[in-house]
Amino acid sequence: MRIAMGGIVPAEPQRAVAVSGGASLSRLDRLVILGVGFALQFNVLTSTFGLPFMRLSDALPFLTIPYFLLRPRILSTLLARALPIGVVVMLLVASLLAKADVQQGDLYLTLVLLLYFVQATQLVILLRDPAGADSFAAGTLGGFAGSLLVLVAASAGIDLIGVGLAVPTDGLEPELVLFMKDKLGGLWAAGNETGHVFAFAGAAAAYLWHRTGRSAIYIAYFAALLVSFPLTNNRAGLFLPAIVLGLILRKSVSVYAVLLGAAAICGLVMLFSATGYAPVPEQLQSAIEKRFVADSHADSNILERLDSTAAGLQLAAAHPFGLGNVSKENQLLMMAGVGTPHNAVVTLALQSGVLVVLAFLAGTVRIILAPQRFGPLPFYTVLFMVPSLMFEELSINQVFLFGFALVLAASAMTRSGDPAGAQA
């Protein structure tokens, strides 16, 4: 992997390497890895069918962990890194045991994070084979496409709750139901969540561009992301993917083409400013105006987020092993007037403990400072995940829980100076 000072550039075509000490991935291995990536984005609500899991990806560790342990030398590789793995496991277990004000369901997401972490430690080893990383990225984009189709179907009024492809609204506050209709979520609760989940899929698209040098892969992903915007009305999920698109076009397309595209965009902006009309579908124009031009709540929204984040930090410091969700919401309402800190890192501290967050932040810094050591897939995961964490309470979302787990696992499994991660 090469990450130049002037931006991210595609690597030379990579030759498949042996994984786990000498055994390459089988077709079934690649299929299982693809399935994990697919399930994270196309994450069916298994709770709809009376199963003891919220979503499909929560059940997969019970199948994949035993399967991957049968892989040659997976167990020995894990045992070689038993200390850092054990530290993260103990931090999560400590939160499960010492979390304050626990009520029914308050331990679920921390337990899921623990299972994802164990699963991710195995995947980090397997993703060192480019075929494994390719399979995971392809599965993620396939799941993203399926999830986008579900979102479009929901916008057409198709009821998908009975088949586990929509979040039930029974018993919810009327205001919340209206919010979910205004910002459609499809498979997820609302557009505020869906927009970031779709943004996270950009890590897979950027990885495949990195592997192949084909900018069309990422451009197709970004075009699909734009399709979702008028439905989710989530602008925060567009920022990082748009920045990466600009970097890719700068590296992959001629300067003349980039300037021509920029001129066309400027022309459209000037036309819209002068006439209030843009030559785009009416629903997209309405979404652009609502979220970028006529957002009268922008200033108060920023202040609310700052106040709620500060209150969340105070609450996390007072409860270093975590706090039950109901108690968290009640105390934040008293302290900041809203029940969320609007920040997934702060929410994770309240959910799974301050020490878990410190381990995640340490892993994030390691990956950013040494991307060659960890490989392109963990690097792009961090790149696309971190901006979203600053906007929403995303540590309750399975896609981002897996992202936390993958960063923790990559950091725990990679020694300082170890070049193995560069193969991933």
Side-chain angles (χ1 to χ4, degrees):
M1 174 177 179
R2 295 182 292 130
I3 305 220
M5 294 299 293
I8 309 167
V9 296
E12 297 299 327
Q14 297 183 21
R15 178 173 52 87
V17 297
V19 69
S20 305
S24 60
L25 294 178
S26 68
R27 183 175 298 177
L28 181 58
D29 293 335
R30 296 195 297 271
L31 184 61
V32 172
I33 294 170
L34 184 145
V36 172
F38 181 86
L40 283 167
Q41 284 279 329
F42 196 80
N43 217 327
V44 177
L45 284 89
T46 47
S47 57
T48 301
F49 309 109
L51 298 175
F53 308 100
M54 287 178 60
R55 292 185 178 271
L56 175 61
S57 62
D58 299 348
L60 287 184
F62 292 96
L63 301 175
T64 60
I65 291 173
Y67 171 77
F68 287 135
L69 282 177
L70 299 176
R71 294 288 302 136
R73 298 189 63 179
I74 284 283
L75 182 59
S76 63
T77 305
L78 293 175
L79 290 175
R81 300 295 294 161
L83 180 59
I85 292 173
V87 168
V88 177
V89 169
M90 290 306 298
L91 293 179
L92 290 167
V93 171
S95 177
L96 289 171
L97 297 177
K99 194 191 304 286
D101 296 333
V102 173
Q103 298 186 28
Q104 185 176 5
D106 283 340
L107 301 179
Y108 182 84
L109 293 177
T110 299
L111 182 59
V112 167
L113 179 57
L114 175 57
L115 291 171
Y116 282 2
F117 172 72
V118 176
Q119 180 188 53
T121 57
Q122 299 172 320
L123 284 173
V124 164
I125 300 170
L126 297 170
L127 296 180
R128 289 174 182 171
D129 187 326
D134 292 351
S135 296
F136 183 84
T140 299
L141 290 181
F144 161 67
S147 189
L148 179 60
L149 288 176
V150 169
L151 178 66
V152 172
S155 72
I158 300 175
D159 185 2
L160 300 171
I161 293 176
V163 291
L165 297 179
V167 177
T169 57
D170 295 342
L172 298 180
E173 296 286 340
E175 295 82 0
L176 181 56
V177 175
L178 289 175
F179 177 78
M180 293 169 67
K181 291 181 178 179
D182 179 56
K183 295 186 174 183
L184 292 177
L187 265 167
W188 307 97
N192 280 19
E193 189 178 7
T194 305
H196 293 286
V197 171
F198 286 179
F200 202 175
Y207 165 80
L208 289 176
W209 162 77
H210 179 101
R211 281 273 290 142
T212 64
R214 296 175 181 172
S215 57
I217 295 174
Y218 192 88
I219 293 172
Y221 153 75
F222 191 80
L225 182 64
L226 287 180
V227 170
S228 73
F229 172 66
L231 306 178
T232 65
N233 281 313
N234 182 257
R235 59 191 170 196
L238 294 177
F239 291 148
L240 198 282
I243 291 172
V244 173
L245 176 67
L247 291 173
I248 289 176
L249 291 178
R250 178 174 175 268
K251 292 292 181 183
S252 306
V253 182
S254 69
V255 174
Y256 175 76
V258 172
L259 291 176
L260 188 63
I265 292 173
C266 289
L268 291 176
V269 171
M270 292 174 65
L271 175 65
F272 180 73
S273 299
T275 66
Y277 169 77
V280 295
E282 182 178 349
Q283 193 171 15
L284 177 58
Q285 179 178 338
S286 175
I288 292 172
E289 183 174 1
K290 179 179 179 181
R291 299 301 288 160
F292 290 98
V293 180
D295 187 356
S296 59
H297 301 291
D299 293 338
S300 60
N301 187 268
I302 292 173
L303 293 175
E304 177 186 279
R305 288 173 182 273
L306 292 174
D307 290 342
S308 61
T309 298
L313 289 171
Q314 295 177 41
L315 204 55
H319 302 280
F321 291 103
L323 183 65
N325 186 59
V326 173
S327 180
K328 176 206 75 175
E329 290 187 358
N330 290 337
Q331 293 194 47
L332 284 175
L333 281 170
M334 291 187 294
M335 297 170 68
V338 290
T340 169
H342 285 109
N343 185 297
V345 176
V346 176
T347 308
L348 183 66
L350 293 169
Q351 181 175 296
S352 300
V354 173
L355 295 178
V356 172
V357 165
L358 292 177
F360 166 73
L361 294 176
T364 297
V365 171
R366 289 187 67 201
I367 292 172
I368 290 175
L369 294 180
Q372 295 89 349
R373 183 186 306 156
F374 292 87
L377 190 55
F379 173 75
Y380 285 119
T381 295
V382 167
L383 184 67
F384 280 79
M385 180 170 66
V386 168
S388 286
L389 300 182
M390 301 300 107
F391 286 97
E392 294 294 342
E393 193 177 49
L394 293 166
S395 56
I396 61 174
N397 176 275
Q398 275 75 2
V399 173
F400 284 85
L401 277 173
F402 182 85
F404 286 123
L406 187 64
V407 170
L408 289 168
S411 183
M413 294 298 296
T414 306
R415 299 179 178 87
S416 296
D418 181 6
Q423 299 169 355

